[in-house]
Amino acid sequence: MLVIQPRRHHRCADCDRAPLRHIVLESGAPLCLDCADMGHLVFLPRGDTALTRRARAGSSLSAVVVRFNRRRRRYERQGVFVEEPALAAAEAACLADAEARARRRARDARRRAAEDVRFTAALTAEILRLFPHCPAERARDIAEHTSVRGSGRVGRSAAGRALDEFAVTAAVRASVRHLDTEYDALLMARVPHHRARARVAAAIDAVLASWAADGSDEVASRVAEDQPPLT
């Protein structure tokens, strides 16, 4: 079951109510929750995974709520609709074992932090292997920036976590683009990003060539200019 938080005003195809905060599409026509027989459900916003999981498990009828993100061009989950008794039971269960779950979250956070430290160190070492003349502090900064968990940057991609040469070079190239060229100023001046990238490409190549050795500059030159920026 899917409920949509619309970005535009909609009118219920059955009862003519408008505007609707939530709609259910039936044969392409928008219905309000009451006409879709979901008016008795309560909304649980996203954010508490345990509460959501328990509430959905205890609810005989539930629906996922989504909203379209224009920037990312995709629907994203906003929460769920569940039956009120199921939500109350889930809240009680979560209160009962809140301390145990807090301890588990703390352990998981420590484990992830240790993993991140090890990965950042390995990524720094790989940057310095490919670009031995890159300042060590700059290599660490690039590794820390591109490997932030949940950032969606190159370092968190599957290729980045595998220390793929192409992905690592793309991360270094993006850092040089933003910090060592006029790229950001061009964007602020409303120059289209593809034109801005073309204008700074030679400057980026020069910096990467000065950092590279043993042909690593050839690797850098193979990085496509349509790679998305890391910020």
Side-chain angles (χ1 to χ4, degrees), residues 14-54:
D14 278 3
C15 69
D16 208 37
R17 182 190 305 172
L20 302 179
R21 293 181 59 190
H22 299 93
I23 63 172
V24 178
L25 293 179
E26 187 171 291
S27 300
L31 299 179
C32 67
L33 293 181
D34 287 334
C35 291
D37 294 326
M38 294 187 190
H40 64 294
L41 302 181
V42 293
F43 179 60
L44 172 60
R46 66 180 181 179
D48 191 325
T49 304
L51 180 61
T52 299
R53 183 179 64 251
R54 286 170 166 169

Side-chain angles (χ1 to χ4, degrees), residues 41 57 73 82 89 94 104 108 111-112 115 125 132 136 170 173 198 231:
L41 302 181
R73 297 183 179 180
V82 294
C94 286
R104 184 167 60 250
D108 290 343
R111 174 182 53 77
R112 288 192 296 268
E115 291 173 352
R173 189 178 189 92
T231 58

Side-chain angles (χ1 to χ4, degrees), residues 161-183:
R161 292 195 301 272
L163 299 180
D164 175 79
E165 192 170 289
F166 186 94
V168 174
T169 303
V172 176
R173 189 178 189 92
S175 175
V176 173
R177 180 186 299 119
H178 288 287
L179 300 182
D180 300 283
T181 74
E182 59 175 350
Y183 179 72

Side-chain angles (χ1 to χ4, degrees), residues 113-124:
E115 291 173 352
D116 289 346
V117 168
R118 290 193 294 270
F119 174 65
T120 300
L123 182 54
T124 301

Side-chain angles (χ1 to χ4, degrees), residues 33-104:
L33 293 181
D34 287 334
C35 291
D37 294 326
M38 294 187 190
H40 64 294
L41 302 181
V42 293
F43 179 60
L44 172 60
R46 66 180 181 179
D48 191 325
T49 304
L51 180 61
T52 299
R53 183 179 64 251
R54 286 170 166 169
R56 291 194 69 189
S59 184
S60 59
L61 178 64
S62 65
V64 175
V65 181
V66 298
R67 182 177 177 85
F68 189 72
N69 185 314
R70 290 176 177 171
R71 183 174 63 85
R72 297 182 176 179
R73 297 183 179 180
R74 68 186 186 194
Y75 280 95
E76 296 181 338
R77 183 181 295 225
Q78 304 299 308
V80 294
F81 273 107
V82 294
E83 294 170 331
E84 191 167 5
L87 177 57
E91 289 172 336
C94 286
L95 284 174
D97 64 1
E99 185 176 347
R101 288 186 296 112
R103 289 196 300 268
R104 184 167 60 250

